[in-house]
Amino acid sequence: MQSSLQRPKDRISVLVITADNMTSELLKNAFAHGRRGFTVETLTGSSEKIIGQLGAHKADVVLISEELQDGPETGIKVLQKTRTLQSTSSIMLLQDSKPDRVVNAFRDGARGVFYRSHSLKSLSKCIQTVHQGQIWVGNEDIEHLLKALSHLSPLHLNDSKGMPLLTQREEEVVHLVADGLKNREIAQRLKVKEHSVRNYIYRIFEKLGVSNRVELILYVFSSRGGI
């Protein structure tokens, strides 16, 4: 009996964006012509060329190489553009784990980062995870994000009308979470009970539409724009 993931109508559509055909075909062939539950298209070229063609390609997940034909890190321009595409999640394909590139990827809308040194089997899992609405991020990447957050100016998250989304105490909790503190440590810092901290975090998650600490950190990045 086939699983629902294996039926063609339920396959995850993936758009692979790279600088050259050799790399894109290597990645495409890794999905074994849909036997893993994927359909795959590819785009190659410069960031400008690819951005001009994005509208013609509908995909659940976009895998974007950081280096395109017009140079290193130009893939970030394509990533920024994919933020305007509804129902599409993006993964940045990086050469290695450099702090600034990891931070820039998540700040500009990536839901995961994947490294060329990782196995192609892991790539399938990465795409499935992101497609399910989760974040694909390693411990080293989280450390990069936390260090970058520590240099942010005081946090003020507002809605589209400029009204605060969080209370002052909730903003303090967000900063302490971003500093890597656990609930007990936050309670000690704020001189409140640990269950009070859990309640604060629950309300913060509800207000911001996130479900865990990593998503909260990414929400702060996307809301702040710059580092």
Side-chain angles (χ1 to χ4, degrees):
M1 179 177 178
Q2 280 191 320
S3 69
S4 59
L5 182 63
Q6 291 176 317
R7 295 198 302 268
K9 67 176 182 179
D10 291 332
R11 287 178 180 164
I12 301 170
S13 58
V14 182
L15 178 61
V16 176
I17 295 175
T18 63
D20 59 87
N21 290 326
M22 181 180 294
T23 303
S24 63
E25 286 303 313
L26 175 65
L27 292 170
K28 183 176 180 178
N29 290 338
F31 294 99
H33 305 295
R35 289 202 299 270
R36 292 179 182 269
F38 302 95
T39 59
V40 186
E41 291 185 280
T42 62
L43 277 179
T44 60
S46 67
S47 59
E48 183 178 355
K49 175 187 174 184
I50 290 168
I51 288 172
Q53 297 177 341
L54 275 178
H57 295 267
K58 305 297 183 183
D60 298 316
V61 179
V62 182
L63 177 66
I64 308 167
S65 174
E66 65 175 327
E67 181 170 354
L68 300 175
Q69 286 185 2
D70 45 337
E73 300 183 62
T74 52
I76 205 76
K77 299 177 184 178
V78 179
L79 172 63
Q80 292 167 348
K81 183 64 177 178
T82 62
R83 297 185 74 166
T84 66
L85 303 177
Q86 294 183 349
S87 303
T88 297
S89 300
S90 298
I91 300 166
M92 205 68 191
L93 180 63
L94 303 178
Q95 189 68 34
D96 47 41
S97 180
K98 292 184 178 179
D100 59 333
R101 296 185 181 183
V102 171
V103 168
N104 287 341
F106 281 111
R107 183 191 62 192
D108 287 316
R111 299 290 292 177
V113 293
F114 191 84
Y115 299 101
R116 290 180 181 273
S117 58
H118 291 177
S119 71
L120 294 177
K121 182 179 180 180
S122 296
L123 177 58
S124 297
K125 186 176 180 180
C126 170
I127 290 172
Q128 289 171 329
T129 299
V130 168
H131 178 57
Q132 292 165 1
Q134 302 175 51
I135 302 296
W136 183 272
V137 59
N139 291 333
E140 186 177 2
D141 301 324
I142 292 175
E143 288 299 317
H144 296 330
L145 296 174
L146 291 175
K147 287 179 181 178
L149 272 178
S150 68
H151 294 96
L152 284 175
S153 57
L155 174 68
H156 299 291
L157 296 172
N158 300 321
D159 62 19
S160 59
K161 298 180 180 179
M163 299 298 293
L165 290 170
L166 306 177
T167 65
Q168 182 177 347
R169 177 48 61 91
E170 289 167 348
E171 289 182 349
E172 291 174 352
V173 171
V174 171
H175 257 305
L176 295 174
V177 169
D179 285 341
L181 274 63
K182 305 299 183 185
N183 286 0
R184 180 180 300 178
E185 297 169 319
I186 294 173
Q188 292 171 348
R189 183 75 62 88
L190 298 179
K191 296 181 172 56
V192 299
K193 299 292 186 181
E194 190 173 346
H195 73 82
S196 297
V197 173
R198 288 196 295 269
N199 289 337
Y200 284 131
I201 292 176
Y202 176 78
R203 288 199 297 270
I204 290 166
F205 284 2
E206 274 208 324
K207 288 181 178 182
L208 302 184
V210 299
S211 58
N212 56 54
R213 278 169 149 81
V214 173
E215 289 189 3
L216 176 59
I217 291 170
L218 297 184
Y219 184 97
V220 174
F221 269 112
S222 62
S223 299
R224 300 304 298 273
I227 301 298

